[in-house]
Amino acid sequence: MGMGEPLQNYRNVLDAIGVLSEMGATTPKNVTLSTVGVAPRILAMAREAPEVRLALSLHAVSEKLRGQLLPVASPTWPLGDLADAVRTYLTTTKSSIYVEYIMLSGVNDTEHHAEELCRWLTQVAEGEAGGPAKLPVNLIPYNRTEAGDRDGFEAPTVAHCKQFRSWVRSAGVPCTIRFSTRDGSPIEAACGQLGRRLQRRGSG
């Protein structure tokens, strides 16, 4: 994760997983690819690499807000197409998809947002054994970046993250908060930070 969009480098990524597997360094079932929702490639993964695990960086389930937070994903792969691809993936692979959801104070962290998220996940997983439990949510409190600071983004309090987790769990969706280690943020190595730091170094 954090190395760009793997499903836009699809063939090379699968080849790399194959090489690592042949070397005995890992196995496909121990690899998780994180995507912003490249719907056609999710369908391809279901056919060609069903043993590789998938994580979906979702962050919003309204098209407008998703477009603001993930302009590379929306409208290229709108939520309707993404829902169809995820549903097909679940049915074909019988696997779960981890849903990544960054927590941004006052942006996507209200009870209404939690209800929207759970409604979308429940609809996508309808008819699947386990239902929305096949789409467990990882909440990731925002880690500061220069770009995020320019947009005024802030992380919610720990207490509010726990409240959001409770709202999601009350709808029957598994939910965990993924806090970065205390040493990660100060050196800009927490989730969402490292690539930006390396980019600055390279441009200097």
Side-chain angles (χ1 to χ4, degrees), residues 143-145 180-181 183-195:
N143 295 300
R144 290 187 61 185
T145 64
S180 296
T181 64
D183 296 327
S185 291
I187 63 171
E188 297 186 19
C191 182
Q193 293 180 315
L194 185 57

Side-chain angles (χ1 to χ4, degrees), residues 10-201:
Y10 179 74
R11 186 52 57 191
N12 288 331
V13 167
L14 292 192
D15 287 347
I17 293 171
V19 170
L20 291 171
S21 298
E22 291 174 4
M23 294 171 57
T26 188
T27 60
K29 69 179 181 180
N30 289 324
V31 175
T32 300
L33 297 184
S34 180
T35 177
V36 296
V38 185
R41 295 303 191 191
I42 293 173
L43 293 172
M45 277 191 66
R47 297 190 304 269
E48 301 176 17
E51 68 280 12
V52 176
R53 293 180 176 273
L54 193 63
L56 173 63
S57 294
L58 188 58
H59 312 315
V61 290
S62 77
E63 210 68 81
K64 181 179 179 180
L65 182 55
R66 183 168 176 257
Q68 294 170 358
L69 299 180
L70 291 171
V72 70
S74 179
T76 310
W77 307 291
L79 285 165
D81 292 351
L82 179 58
D84 290 341
V86 168
R87 191 176 296 113
T88 298
Y89 181 93
L90 295 177
T91 300
T92 302
T93 67
K94 310 301 181 186
S95 297
S96 300
I97 293 179
Y98 300 99
V99 176
E100 313 294 344
Y101 192 93
I102 191 170
M103 295 289 290
L104 298 167
S105 181
V107 177
N108 66 347
D109 68 336
T110 68
E111 185 174 8
H112 172 70
H113 292 119
E115 291 171 349
E116 278 189 329
L117 173 64
C118 294
R119 188 179 307 115
W120 191 85
L121 296 175
T122 299
Q123 290 172 350
V124 170
E126 185 176 2
E128 294 295 321
K134 301 287 284 187
L135 296 167
V137 175
N138 289 328
L139 302 178
I140 305 172
Y142 166 69
N143 295 300
R144 290 187 61 185
T145 64
E146 290 179 1
D149 288 349
R150 286 195 298 270
D151 288 330
F153 290 153
E154 295 181 351
T157 64
V158 172
H160 189 73
C161 289
K162 291 180 177 179
Q163 178 61 71
F164 194 93
R165 179 181 63 187
S166 296
W167 289 329
V168 174
R169 286 179 172 177
S170 68
V173 179
C175 188
T176 303
I177 304 173
R178 301 293 186 189
F179 292 107
S180 296
T181 64
R182 66 180 182 180
D183 296 327
S185 291
I187 63 171
E188 297 186 19
C191 182
Q193 293 180 315
L194 185 57
R196 177 64 179 170
R197 184 173 181 83
L198 292 175
Q199 188 178 53
R200 285 207 309 272
R201 284 180 177 176

